[in-house]
Structures are given as structure tokens and as C-alpha cells.
Amino acid sequence: MDYSKLFRLDGRSAVVFGGGSGIGREAARALAGQGASVTCADRDLAAAGEAATLAGENARAYHLDLLEPGAVERAASELGDTDIVVLTAATNVRKRLLDYTREEFDSVLALNLGATFDVLRAFGAGMVERGRGSIVVFSSIRSLTVEPGQSAYAATKAGIVQLVRTAAAEFGPAGVRVNAVAPGVVETPLTEQIKADPDWYQAYADKSALGRWAGAEELAGAVAYLASDAASYVTGSVLFVDGGWTAVDGRYVPPGS
């Protein structure tokens, strides 16, 4: 084993769904930094282009709306043999259950869970046929711990974990690995509502062991690890990158401690 190349991805092709911003953009940069040829796929083509520019000469932009019927299958065909797939795209409607409409519920499920199903099937098929590949899907701490207003989002993120585990079980014999990353609170466009409220923002920061939010770039290392040979025996796993949130959630610091 040449440990100097443990995390290198030279000669491998990757696609990052949701690669135009936030965690997806940083994941694309990290994969390109390790030598992969990266496709930044996003419904916002301009954002995908900016992300590809940041990732370097081995990156390109690709327009894709994950909710468009047949779009994921078309992408799997057009992008050719893909070694690494990363899915970060997600949405959330923060409302209590009694205020939720079925339309809002369905919209969250369609992107968070439905797109995961489509990506696993469309890209997993080619990987199984070729006998290699790594798929990384983003779950959340909300797959494990919830709060008021997170019903649909939490349900989808828990569902993603079980889809990932099932795909890992089914694709594993062919040499294909499937894992999930579960972030805590991260500075991304999806969390703008929280960041706009200083008290809410600080309350979330205080919940983690590190006492702060994560930058999107702090999730990129987990993606690069799971995509690389460093994780060659890791599949069906959920990697929590949450600053210790789930380890200390609800903690109480006694007086004098």
C-alpha cells in the first residue's frame, strides 16, 4: 500500500449533484483537488459554472433539475462511466406538523428522498455493471435527533440512511460502496433563515461540542475520504460531521464544572 496516495483520485470521474453552491461546491473542489475529473451538476447552470471554475481545469458544469422526469437517467447516460457520485441537493420547509400542507410535505420528499432513489438507481446500475464505484449521499443530524418544525425534513433524512444501507447491501457484492454523511449546522444557503436570527444562530452554535457552526468546506474532507481508497472497506455507514452535536445533545454543565 502506497499511503502517500491513499486519498488520491487521479483518473477517476465524479459528479456532484447540488454542486453549484454550499457543501456541493466545496465537495467538488475537494474531489478535484485530489485529482478527480468533476462534473458540477446543478439546476442553476451559472452557479455550477462558477463552482467548476473554482474546482479547476478538470471540472465542468452540467445543467440538471433533479425533479425533472427522466433527468437523472439522462444524466447517467450522458455523463458516461462515473466512479464517484455525491448528492448534496436538499430542501426544507420549516413548519409544525399541524401547519404543514400535503403539497409542502410532498415537495420535501420529492427532492430529498425521491431524488436519492433516482440517483442510486440510475448511477448505481452502471457502477454495479462495471464492478466499482463510490456513492455519497447527504443525510443530516435530523435523521437521529429532531426538533419542532422539522417533520418532513427529518423523515427524509432518516429515510436516506435506510436507502443508503439497502443500496450498500445490494451493490456491495459488485464492489460498489454507498455511504451517507450527516452534517450538523452548516453555513449554507439552506440555513439562511436561522442565520438571520442572532439568538437562533447562537443557540445552534451552543449545541455542539465545538460551540460553533461548520463552514461548508469542513464537510468536503468527509466526501473525499468516502470517495477514496482510504475508505475501501467502508460501506453502509453514516459519518456524522456535526461538531459533536449528537454526542452531547441536551448536555448540562453542572455548577463548578
Side-chain angles (χ1 to χ4, degrees):
M1 172 68 76
D2 184 351
Y3 289 114
S4 67
K5 299 180 180 179
L6 189 61
F7 296 94
R8 295 296 302 176
L9 300 169
D10 303 281
R12 302 183 199 183
S13 61
V15 57
V16 180
F17 294 104
S21 65
I23 295 170
R25 181 185 65 191
E26 300 308 314
R29 294 180 66 190
L31 295 173
Q34 292 301 318
S37 298
V38 181
T39 298
C40 300
D42 203 284
R43 67 178 181 178
D44 185 337
L45 184 58
E50 293 173 3
T53 298
L54 288 171
E57 59 183 15
N58 288 329
R60 61 170 173 164
Y62 182 86
H63 180 258
L64 176 74
D65 183 344
L66 287 164
L67 296 179
E68 179 187 337
V72 175
E73 290 79 5
R74 184 169 63 251
S77 175
E78 292 178 352
L79 296 177
D81 294 354
T82 303
D83 302 300
I84 302 160
V85 170
V86 180
L87 176 57
T88 68
T91 190
N92 192 8
V93 177
R94 291 178 177 275
K95 284 186 177 180
R96 291 178 180 258
L97 272 171
L98 298 183
D99 298 323
Y100 238 98
T101 67
R102 181 56 187 264
E103 183 180 12
E104 290 168 335
F105 183 81
D106 288 345
S107 71
V108 176
L109 263 67
L111 181 58
N112 295 6
L113 202 53
T116 299
F117 174 77
D118 290 340
V119 168
L120 286 172
R121 292 183 71 253
F123 284 84
M127 289 181 171
V128 167
E129 184 177 346
R130 293 186 296 275
R132 67 181 188 278
S134 174
I135 301 175
V136 182
V137 182
F138 269 72
S139 178
S140 167
I141 59 170
R142 294 305 172 205
S143 66
L144 187 64
T145 179
V146 303
E147 66 180 6
Q150 293 276 40
S151 58
Y153 184 80
T156 60
K157 292 303 183 176
I160 283 170
V161 170
Q162 295 302 73
L163 275 179
V164 161
R165 287 171 173 162
T166 303
E170 295 181 0
F171 302 171
V176 178
R177 298 183 296 105
V178 189
N179 293 286
V181 175
V185 288
V186 187
E187 302 269 5
T188 72
L190 192 61
T191 54
E192 288 291 344
Q193 178 185 1
I194 301 170
K195 291 187 288 184
D197 184 325
D199 291 337
W200 194 359
Y201 180 88
Q202 189 58 47
Y204 271 20
D206 292 341
K207 289 290 286 185
S208 75
L210 297 180
R212 63 177 178 83
W213 287 52
E217 70 280 0
E218 293 182 284
L219 279 297
V223 174
Y225 162 66
L226 290 171
S228 74
D229 290 342
S232 60
Y233 201 61
V234 180
T235 194
S237 293
V238 183
L239 176 54
F240 282 83
V241 186
D242 63 357
W245 179 304
T246 51
V248 301
D249 193 36
R251 70 191 186 281
Y252 170 67
V253 181
S257 296

